[in-house]
Amino acid sequence: MISIPRGSLPPLALSLVAAMSLGAQSAPPSSPTSRTDDERGSIDLAFGDEMRLSMGGYLQVDGRWASGPQSRAPDGLLLRRARLVFDASRADGWHVRLQPDFGQGRVLVQDAFVGWRDRRTTARIGRFRPAYGTERMQSSSTLLFPERSIVNTLMPSRSMGAQVTHQRGHVTVAAGGFRTPIGSDVPVVDTDGDVRATNGVGYDLLGRANWRVVRGSRYADIQGSLLAGQERGTAENPAVARLLSVGQLPLVVFRDGATEATTVIADGARGRWSLGGVLGTARTMVGVERAQQWQRLRFAAARQQVQATAWSLRAATAWGGTRNANQEITPRHRRGALELGVRAGQLQLDTPAGVTLLADGSRPLVRTAGAAVGWIPTISTRLSVALDVTWPGFGGSTERVAVMRWQQGF
């Protein structure tokens, strides 16, 4: 993640607003090419014949409780996300996005990219979320469970790179290239990968195909993604990420003795694939996903390969509200809508026989299950409560994580 000084972001945002406001003359109608498609809706700050500036965002406040030997994630009240999304776009399709995040006691830039789009093709370069996976591509502002499923631990982080997507009919294909995400020493809760173990000098090439059809209130969204590349680490920065539970607690930790002979280090080919989809109606959705990751490692001068496989199944239904294909729920009544969901999953790690690559307490096979309920009084407000259980957790103990989240969009 890109970290910037705390005092520098407001002047940056004000400068962006001022620069765009210089060209504001009249309010043109919204065009299909004047928006990007990652997060919630937005409001216009400035607009003109050739340029438009909009802002959106949301807050997420969590009350967290965790039990288990690794329950060192923040308990109590946590400002999980506090994001602003600035989009500047031109009528010819060029656009710029800046998304700072003030959550968890730090200021980070989650997205910062420039791109171009028409009705079928989108290209962007900078830092953003690669087009990969099923639940990973769902905006966190529309999630019923505060954290994504166990499969998310095998998903890529926001990364520096370039990507092109092209849509023809119901099919969208994407291709791109990305470098290893920028790491951070800040111990935060995050679903953008393991932020404490992502330093490296690697790269990934991306390919993705997605088939999506919407017919009235029914929809189907099926995708397959592939990331393949190289990763090289050192004893100081092994570039081998831990595998985390749905509560963002460590499940699988590789040995790290701070020397070449006692540390598991990324040293070669790395790849991962994901296959999954979502079927739904205006009330109910069912999602399933399976993912796999493999990595060439070096330990005690010997090269090994490990492979992790995960799957997840989730389902949810809503009362008093209408669900769209992006999983956003619009209440139909003044008292709001209710959403109830369940999920289950499994994570398995395969390592070479007779070689001890994992730290004491790591478990090569874990299963997880959870349930959640959410109240959506307005389309921009959500209150949810979720409980996830993982067994056996780190050290063979059952892990329980309960999260109550209040979310407000604007």
Side-chain angles (χ1 to χ4, degrees):
M1 297 180 182
I2 304 172
S3 180
I4 61 178
R6 290 181 181 273
S8 64
L9 186 61
L12 177 63
L14 290 175
S15 299
L16 184 60
V17 172
M20 296 304 173
S21 298
L22 292 177
Q25 298 175 3
S26 60
S30 177
S31 69
T33 62
S34 66
R35 57 176 292 274
T36 50
D37 52 3
D38 283 342
E39 301 294 349
R40 296 190 59 87
S42 58
I43 59 173
D44 287 337
L45 297 179
F47 41 79
D49 293 335
E50 296 296 329
M51 193 169 291
R52 177 178 182 176
L53 177 66
S54 61
M55 183 188 74
Y58 56 95
L59 300 173
Q60 292 177 345
V61 180
D62 291 358
R64 300 176 64 91
W65 173 83
S67 70
Q70 292 294 309
S71 57
R72 293 176 296 184
D75 268 354
L77 202 63
L78 174 68
L79 181 59
R80 181 68 170 83
R81 294 179 178 93
R83 296 184 178 180
L84 294 175
V85 185
F86 294 93
D87 283 313
S89 59
R90 289 167 50 96
D92 58 6
W94 287 98
H95 57 268
V96 177
R97 167 164 288 193
L98 177 65
Q99 183 182 180
D101 187 351
F102 302 87
Q104 303 175 56
R106 80 280 196 259
V107 181
L108 301 173
V109 176
Q110 296 286 4
D111 288 325
F113 62 81
V114 59
W116 175 86
R117 68 186 297 163
D118 62 14
R119 294 188 180 275
R120 290 186 175 180
T121 304
T122 300
R124 60 178 59 167
I125 184 170
R127 184 177 192 272
F128 54 92
R129 178 171 50 196
Y132 185 92
T134 301
E135 191 179 10
R136 186 76 183 93
M137 293 301 294
Q138 183 179 339
S139 170
S140 62
S141 65
T142 64
L143 294 173
L144 169 59
F145 285 84
E147 305 292 354
R148 293 178 173 90
S149 304
I150 189 68
V151 170
N152 189 67
T153 195
L154 304 184
M155 298 290 122
S157 303
R158 279 180 163 88
S159 308
M160 298 293 295
Q163 177 180 285
V164 177
T165 62
H166 181 74
Q167 180 180 359
R168 183 175 291 274
H170 298 302
V171 177
T172 302
V173 295
F178 300 87
R179 75 174 300 276
T180 297
I182 299 174
S184 170
D185 293 329
V186 182
V188 297
V189 177
D190 208 316
T191 55
D192 275 345
D194 184 3
V195 297
R196 296 198 298 173
T198 54
N199 287 311
V201 292
Y203 66 89
D204 288 302
L205 300 179
L206 166 71
R208 184 177 192 259
N210 173 241
W211 177 80
R212 186 179 197 182
V213 60
V214 180
R215 294 178 178 174
S217 62
R218 301 178 183 274
Y219 56 89
D221 195 332
I222 301 173
Q223 67 85 33
S225 306
L226 175 66
L227 273 170
Q230 297 277 334
E231 181 64 275
R232 304 279 180 182
T234 65
E236 292 76 21
N237 294 306
V240 180
R242 304 170 301 172
L243 300 182
L244 306 179
S245 71
V246 293
Q248 300 303 293
L249 303 179
L251 290 175
V252 175
V253 179
F254 291 88
R255 299 184 67 176
D256 185 357
T259 68
E260 292 280 343
T262 58
T263 300
V264 177
I265 299 171
D267 189 38
R270 173 182 63 185
R272 44 190 154 189
W273 59 261
S274 165
L275 181 64
V278 176
L279 301 176
T281 67
R283 180 174 178 179
T284 303
M285 64 79 62
V286 177
V288 62
E289 186 168 9
R290 183 178 177 87
Q292 188 176 89
Q293 175 180 286
W294 62 94
Q295 171 74 67
R296 179 70 66 177
L297 304 174
R298 184 175 77 254
F299 179 66
R303 286 178 170 80
Q304 314 286 341
Q305 179 166 302
V306 300
Q307 178 176 289
T309 305
W311 62 263
S312 69
L313 175 64
R314 56 196 175 101
T317 186
W319 289 273
T322 302
R323 182 192 305 273
N324 66 21
N326 293 327
Q327 303 307 312
E328 189 172 62
I329 295 177
T330 303
R332 297 195 303 265
H333 310 291
R334 293 181 61 183
R335 60 181 177 273
L338 286 177
E339 185 179 15
L340 177 65
V342 294
R343 67 182 178 188
Q346 177 178 291
L347 172 67
Q348 182 173 352
L349 183 73
D350 295 322
T351 59
V355 181
T356 306
L357 300 178
L358 304 181
D360 293 340
S362 295
R363 295 287 168 169
L365 176 64
V366 296
R367 295 182 175 89
T368 183
V373 60
W375 175 49
I376 305 102
T378 71
I379 193 172
S380 58
T381 305
R382 179 186 288 264
L383 178 65
S384 60
V385 180
L387 173 65
D388 280 286
V389 180
T390 301
W391 63 90
F394 196 90
S397 299
T398 300
E399 172 192 300
R400 298 175 179 86
V401 177
V403 181
M404 176 181 290
R405 168 169 294 176
W406 169 72
Q407 173 180 291
Q408 181 62 54
F410 54 87

